[in-house]
Amino acid sequence: MGTHGEHSIIALYPSTVKEIFDITIKAFNLSEKYRTPVILLMDEVIGHMREKIEMPNADEIKIYNRKEPTSTPEEYKPYEVKQGDIVPEMASFGKGYRYHVTGLVHGKNGFPTNDKEIAEKLIRRLVNKIEENKDDIVEYEEYRLEDADEAIIAYGATARSAKSAVDKLRESGRNIGLFRPITIWPIADKQINKLAKSVKRITVVEMNMGQYFEVIDRIAGKYTSVESYGRVNGELINPEEIISFIESRRG
């Protein structure tokens, strides 16, 4: 990312071809609005799919335009946050404004600094502009959770298998639903807290060693049981495997 870390960014994860289109637009808008890198995650399953989408008219697409500088190029300080704003004004390339880009802690002019007070203020602002605006940033889907006493959390292509598993488990009398984070980071902690307080068990299904499970367990584990189901052999988890795992947890 070209930085030394210590700040939040935004990561989005679509699970359909239509969402790839929509979420790509959202990624650009969030990047412009919060002046931050936005990662668009997409697994190879979704990348190789063919699904029909209805393309909107150009005038139906909402575009967020960055705040352009109101000062002259000579007066412009590219990292100066004006009162009442959360991000600095950002000049577009080619408009005559110059600024220095670095991954190091820097002052208002963009050049590295060793001033500890500037460093503290900068890092806290970078974190807070994301963490304090989760209601605007975080997107998610809730599926059949209205009366659920169990929940699956899954994302990307795995969420498609999880949704099918939920439907089949419902047919057998299991009150279960799906929470699908579309914004993977920042985490939807408010929604997950609420979910954890209403169900007896959460199963995190993912194609890795349990990275998201660890985050969910940290948030929800104090309220309910949180379990992990996943693998890393590259083979997509199918609905039957999720069903088998859920049904083995009858208690």
Side-chain angles (χ1 to χ4, degrees):
M1 299 305 297
T3 80
H4 287 232
E6 294 299 331
H7 64 88
S8 295
I9 59 172
I10 300 171
L12 309 174
Y13 205 150
S15 70
T16 69
V17 174
K18 174 68 164 60
E19 274 189 349
I20 292 173
F21 180 85
D22 295 336
I23 298 302
T24 298
I25 295 171
K26 180 171 183 173
F28 275 93
N29 284 340
L30 290 174
S31 184
E32 290 286 298
K33 187 173 186 178
Y34 294 103
R35 195 168 170 175
T36 185
V38 177
I39 299 174
L40 179 66
L41 295 168
M42 188 176 69
D43 52 56
E44 65 86 17
V45 176
I46 308 299
H48 285 90
M49 280 185 175
R50 293 185 179 184
E51 292 180 329
K52 291 182 179 180
I53 69 171
E54 185 175 335
M55 300 294 289
N57 296 323
D59 58 1
E60 296 175 330
I61 299 174
K62 295 181 179 180
I63 301 296
Y64 184 92
N65 295 309
R66 69 182 66 177
K67 293 181 179 180
E68 297 278 354
T70 54
S71 61
T72 65
E74 293 74 26
E75 298 171 326
Y76 180 51
K77 293 182 175 60
Y79 298 95
E80 180 180 34
V81 181
K82 295 184 178 179
Q83 188 172 3
D85 286 340
I86 57 173
V87 297
E89 296 170 344
M90 187 177 184
S92 298
F93 289 111
K95 290 195 173 181
Y97 290 81
R98 295 183 178 182
Y99 47 91
H100 186 260
V101 178
T102 177
L104 302 172
V105 172
H106 52 76
K108 293 179 182 179
N109 60 5
F111 290 95
T113 178
N114 290 320
D115 188 308
K116 62 183 180 181
E117 291 184 4
I118 292 177
E120 178 84 13
K121 187 176 181 180
L122 174 66
I123 298 302
R124 289 192 180 278
R125 181 179 67 79
L126 294 178
V127 172
N128 290 340
K129 72 179 179 181
I130 304 300
E131 296 299 317
E132 293 177 359
N133 289 282
K134 287 184 177 181
D135 287 345
D136 180 48
I137 297 169
V138 168
E139 187 172 345
Y140 58 92
E141 178 191 6
E142 293 180 319
Y143 182 69
R144 304 191 77 167
L145 283 174
E146 297 84 0
D147 62 341
D149 54 24
E150 294 181 81
I152 298 172
I153 294 181
Y155 49 87
T158 309
R160 300 169 70 111
S161 292
K163 183 175 285 189
S164 179
V166 164
D167 288 338
K168 293 179 180 179
L169 285 164
R170 281 275 178 172
E171 290 174 3
S172 65
R174 200 98 174 203
N175 289 337
I176 191 166
L178 170 68
F179 183 89
R180 178 173 70 91
I182 299 171
T183 305
I184 287 289
W185 197 265
I187 192 77
D189 50 1
K190 181 170 68 175
Q191 292 78 16
I192 292 168
N193 263 313
K194 180 181 177 181
L195 174 65
K197 292 175 182 178
S198 67
V199 298
K200 63 184 180 183
R201 180 182 297 107
I202 292 175
T203 303
V204 183
V205 182
E206 54 188 329
M207 291 286 295
N208 56 50
M209 296 290 288
Q211 284 90 329
Y212 211 61
F213 159 75
E214 293 177 0
V215 178
I216 300 300
D217 189 43
R218 173 175 57 81
I219 296 169
K222 54 184 174 288
Y223 301 116
T224 191
S225 172
V226 183
E227 299 181 342
S228 174
Y229 180 73
R231 60 163 172 259
V232 291
N233 65 359
E235 184 179 348
L236 183 64
I237 298 172
N238 62 50
E240 288 69 29
E241 291 167 320
I242 298 173
I243 292 168
S244 177
F245 181 83
I246 296 293
E247 287 184 334
S248 71
R249 269 69 181 162
R250 280 289 179 186

